[in-house]
Amino acid sequence: MKELKGCGMRCSVGFLSRRELTGQSLMKEEFQRRRLAGCTSLYKKNLEGHFGCVNAIEFSNNGGEWLVSGGDDRRVLLWDMEKAIHSHSKPVKLKGEHLSNIFCLAFDSTNTKVFSGGNDEQVILHDVERRETLNVFLHIDAVYSLSVSPVNDNIFASSSDDGRVLIWDTREPPHGEPFCLASYPSAFHSVMFNPVEPRLLATANSKEGVGLWDIRKPRSSLLRYGGSMSLQSAMSVRFNSTGTQLLALRRRLPPVLYELHSRLPSFQFDNQGYFNSCTMKSCCFAGDKDQVGQLAVGVRNCNGYHSRVLKLK
């Protein structure tokens, strides 16, 4: 095999893709690890600013100019990625501070507002430019996940440890009663609006598994994914950019890919000897065609998340 010199991300990924399509069907994991380890242009930099475990990060929309992070130190930090990567620039602390651990974050579509939620049973709405707190939305238990409507920045969904998925309108009084989309005895760990059909939302529940909901038909799911194994503990669920597929994490089970309107998985990411040695916290699609899935592996130390990458197509 001809050795590729100056191996960067492009040639590594391209090489692995060609091997998948035209080469031997099986590649040893050790070979992949050694080849990527030898690449000289893969970039890594630690962004240091928190005083405790980092539980949530989100890139801004349309290019990822900004990164927002939150964790056990209860602070929401805003990073200018260009400055953070190429200099020793420090993040900006948003003025609104939580009373306990932060678990989830979200940008609105214009990147002018940030939502943060956590263990203190509230969601704080921050103004990015002025760093001020715009509003606070009280819950009755810890908030695990947030999603902003793709067509209306005033609407967001929250999932909570109290077993409810709530739909909020930031234009309404903050102490008003939100719209309850779902209510179970067990916690909802994740919620996301479909990016193309915003009337649809996907959820991950600690006992009821992965579900699809229509905002016009509350309290009853449209679809329970998993077929005969629908009652599974699910930690995270994410739509792809076209809203046609869902990537889900289940407790003590391999990650799984679903087509939007099919109960049965289209693919399960498993092979002989696979196991999760750490708790899988979240997942997402990546790549210009959603061809990559990324899993965040939670570890209880102050180094934040590690990640694992899956080839989806």
Side-chain angles (χ1 to χ4, degrees):
M1 183 186 300
K2 184 179 179 180
E3 179 64 23
L4 297 178
K5 296 182 179 180
C7 179
M9 176 62 81
R10 179 179 298 179
C11 70
S12 300
V13 174
F15 174 81
L16 294 177
S17 299
R18 289 195 298 275
R19 289 284 296 188
E20 181 183 49
L21 293 173
T22 61
Q24 299 177 4
S25 58
L26 296 177
M27 291 186 65
K28 296 295 185 181
E29 291 184 2
E30 181 64 22
F31 172 77
Q32 294 184 28
R33 283 196 293 267
R34 287 184 179 182
R35 191 161 188 90
L36 290 175
C39 293
T40 59
S41 53
L42 296 180
Y43 188 80
K44 173 185 175 182
K45 180 175 181 178
N46 293 327
L47 302 182
E48 298 178 350
H50 286 281
F51 306 133
C53 299
V54 178
N55 301 323
I57 59 172
E58 288 290 335
F59 283 99
S60 59
N61 299 294
N62 304 317
E65 177 184 1
W66 299 94
L67 175 75
V68 65
S69 60
D72 288 358
D73 63 2
R74 306 176 299 169
R75 303 181 306 150
V76 178
L77 301 185
L78 187 68
W79 307 77
D80 183 318
M81 290 308 298
E82 183 73 16
K83 294 179 180 179
I85 290 175
H86 297 293
S87 69
H88 296 288
S89 174
K90 293 296 184 180
V92 172
K93 176 183 172 294
L94 301 186
K95 295 179 181 179
E97 189 168 307
H98 284 264
L99 303 176
S100 188
N101 314 55
I102 296 171
F103 293 148
C104 50
L105 297 160
F107 278 98
D108 72 349
S109 66
T110 63
N111 302 323
T112 59
K113 297 181 179 66
V114 166
F115 297 81
S116 62
N119 197 46
D120 58 353
E121 305 168 4
Q122 62 181 343
V123 172
I124 299 178
L125 178 58
H126 310 262
D127 182 286
V128 170
E129 184 176 358
R130 296 186 292 116
R131 323 301 191 212
E132 301 283 353
T133 297
L134 297 176
N135 221 330
V136 177
F137 302 88
L138 299 179
H139 291 61
I140 62 174
D141 218 324
V143 180
Y144 291 141
S145 180
L146 295 167
S147 180
V148 182
S149 168
V151 295
N152 188 340
D153 285 334
N154 295 304
I155 305 297
F156 74 95
S158 63
S159 64
S160 180
D161 196 44
D162 66 359
R164 295 192 299 168
V165 174
L166 302 176
I167 309 296
W168 301 79
D169 189 333
T170 62
R171 297 164 296 189
E172 297 293 326
H175 300 293
E177 188 66 24
F179 174 76
C180 183
L181 176 67
S183 181
Y184 282 154
S186 48
F188 278 101
H189 288 298
S190 183
V191 62
M192 184 178 181
F193 279 98
N194 186 299
V196 177
E197 297 186 64
R199 63 182 177 85
L200 301 178
L201 293 93
T203 60
N205 186 272
S206 62
K207 291 185 178 179
E208 303 293 333
V210 179
L212 182 68
W213 302 78
D214 190 323
I215 201 169
R216 302 170 302 180
K217 301 177 181 179
R219 305 282 182 160
S220 179
S221 62
L222 290 179
L223 198 61
R224 297 278 290 280
Y225 295 98
S228 60
M229 298 179 64
S230 61
L231 295 180
Q232 301 169 341
S233 180
M235 301 299 295
S236 180
V237 63
R238 284 293 180 267
F239 285 108
N240 65 350
S241 61
T242 58
T244 58
Q245 294 180 320
L246 299 95
L247 180 63
L249 294 182
R250 303 164 299 170
R251 192 185 301 273
R252 297 189 179 91
L253 290 170
V256 64
L257 186 71
Y258 294 106
E259 301 300 321
L260 178 61
H261 297 297
S262 176
R263 295 177 183 273
L264 300 177
S266 60
F267 194 82
Q268 183 168 275
F269 299 92
D270 194 14
N271 60 20
Q272 186 175 3
Y274 174 89
F275 69 99
N276 291 334
S277 60
C278 298
T279 302
M280 295 294 188
K281 293 292 188 181
S282 62
C283 61
C284 68
F285 288 87
D288 56 349
K289 296 181 181 179
D290 294 330
Q291 69 269 33
V292 178
Q294 186 164 355
L295 316 178
V297 184
V299 289
R300 291 306 298 172
N301 60 41
C302 295
N303 295 324
Y305 285 135
H306 298 294
S307 65
R308 184 175 298 171
V309 177
L310 306 173
K311 180 82 174 189
L312 299 182
K313 296 181 182 178

